[in-house]
């Protein structure tokens, strides 16, 4: 029995090591906590780890753009005070989680990672006011979902891994089920106005309409079978 117990411990250790560990210095927090921590931190160090193009399209006030995908990420972070809190965010939380762990490796002692990234920040109404319409406006969206058939709207992004995994069968259903349902795909990065209007904070997100009324909504990876079940 002792031998079996020993092997279980070893196996568990190997599994945990392979999956990776989040540093104790990294605290992944919700949008409310992230916002409050920034307000209560004088001269807060805020790092937007998205690409310069993403940063230019809208960012958290007083943040610096330090692109996680850039070869100079480590070099650029060297100018920040490692003993003071640093706030990290990206579009949806994936890149910022990796960047946060890297910052911990580099010696930063307190790192706040925004869970859900800018999607959550914008959905919470914390983004800087922008009167410019980006993508379809609410009136145009209302026309898109006006149909005698069911209408399935798929919000996605090219960088979103679950979106890429779902894309082949959604495109297939778009053709094969055209007589029963209208399937519309909207790039979240190119349609920020309606994303904000609908308070969509996760990708992918699917919205199923009947007579312009939402009958079903789900975010995150969704199997082909589950989507077909909802469309029947």
């Amino acid at each position: 029995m002792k031998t079996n117990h020993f092997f279980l411990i070893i196996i568990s250790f190997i599994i945990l090591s392979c999956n990776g560990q989040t540093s104790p210095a990294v605290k992944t927090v919700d949008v409310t906590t992230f916002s409050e921590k920034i307000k209560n931190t004088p001269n807060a160090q805020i790092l937007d780890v998205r690409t310069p193009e993403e940063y230019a399209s809208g960012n958290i006030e007083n943040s610096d753009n330090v692109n996680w995908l850039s070869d100079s990420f480590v070099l650029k972070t060297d100018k920040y005070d490692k003993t003071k809190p640093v706030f990290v965010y990206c579009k949806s939380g994936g890149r910022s989680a990796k960047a946060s762990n890297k910052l911990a490796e580099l010696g930063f002692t307190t790192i706040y990672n925004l869970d859900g990234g800018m999607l959550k920040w914008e959905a919470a109404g914390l983004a800087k006011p922008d009167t410019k319409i980006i993508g379809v406006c609410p009136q145009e969206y209302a026309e898109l979902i006006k149909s005698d058939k069911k209408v399935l709207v798929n919000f996605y992004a090219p960088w979103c891994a679950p979106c890429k995994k779902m894309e082949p069968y959604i495109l297939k259903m778009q053709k094969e089920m055209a007589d029963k349902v209208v399937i519309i795909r909207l790039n979240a990065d190119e349609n920020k106005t309606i994303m904000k209007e609908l308070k969509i904070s996760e990708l992918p997100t699917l919205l199923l309409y009947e007579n312009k009324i939402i009958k079903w909504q789900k975010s995150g990876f969704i199997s082909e079978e589950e989507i077909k079940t909802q469309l029947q």
Side-chain angles (χ1 to χ4, degrees), residues 8-9 66:
L8 284 173
I9 293 173
V66 185

Side-chain angles (χ1 to χ4, degrees), residues 1-188:
M1 292 295 290
K2 288 183 178 180
T3 302
N4 289 339
H5 182 66
F6 173 76
F7 279 117
L8 284 173
I9 293 173
I10 294 298
I11 291 170
S12 298
F13 175 78
I14 292 172
I15 291 173
L16 288 172
S17 298
C18 292
N19 287 341
Q21 293 288 302
T22 299
S23 167
V26 179
K27 299 172 178 61
T28 298
V29 297
D30 61 39
V31 67
T32 302
T33 303
F34 194 80
S35 176
E36 288 301 318
K37 291 285 186 183
I38 289 175
K39 289 179 182 177
N40 295 326
T41 303
N43 301 314
Q45 304 179 122
I46 311 170
L47 305 189
D48 182 321
V49 298
R50 299 175 297 164
T51 64
E53 292 77 17
E54 289 176 286
Y55 181 79
S57 69
N59 53 74
I60 294 177
E61 193 172 4
N62 297 321
S63 63
D64 294 334
N65 185 209
V66 185
N67 184 7
W68 166 245
L69 300 177
S70 170
D71 293 336
S72 61
F73 177 81
V74 173
L75 182 63
K76 287 184 177 180
T77 58
D78 193 50
K79 70 176 183 178
Y80 298 97
D81 190 337
K82 296 180 180 181
T83 66
K84 294 181 179 179
V86 61
F87 300 85
V88 188
Y89 73 93
C90 63
K91 182 69 174 182
S92 62
R95 283 171 288 178
S96 64
K98 295 175 183 178
S100 294
N101 280 325
K102 185 62 179 179
L103 291 172
E105 288 180 20
L106 295 172
F108 285 82
T109 56
T110 306
I111 305 149
Y112 292 103
N113 171 43
L114 176 56
D115 186 24
M118 277 299 289
L119 288 176
K120 290 288 187 183
W121 188 268
E122 291 169 348
L126 294 171
K128 291 180 286 187
D130 188 353
T131 57
K132 183 173 67 174
I133 293 175
I134 302 175
V136 298
C137 67
Q139 292 79 11
E140 291 170 326
Y141 186 79
E143 288 298 316
L144 285 177
I145 63 174
K146 186 166 66 174
S147 174
D148 294 332
K149 304 174 187 177
K150 292 179 180 179
V151 179
L152 181 68
V153 182
N154 170 212
F155 286 94
Y156 73 98
W159 46 263
C160 167
C163 300
K164 291 179 182 178
K165 191 173 181 180
M166 292 167 58
E167 182 178 8
Y169 54 79
I170 289 181
L171 292 177
K172 184 180 68 173
M173 285 187 285
Q174 196 175 42
K175 294 179 179 179
E176 294 178 351
M177 304 182 72
D179 59 327
K180 298 178 181 178
V181 59
V182 177
I183 298 179
I184 300 167
R185 301 184 73 239
L186 293 177
N187 186 325

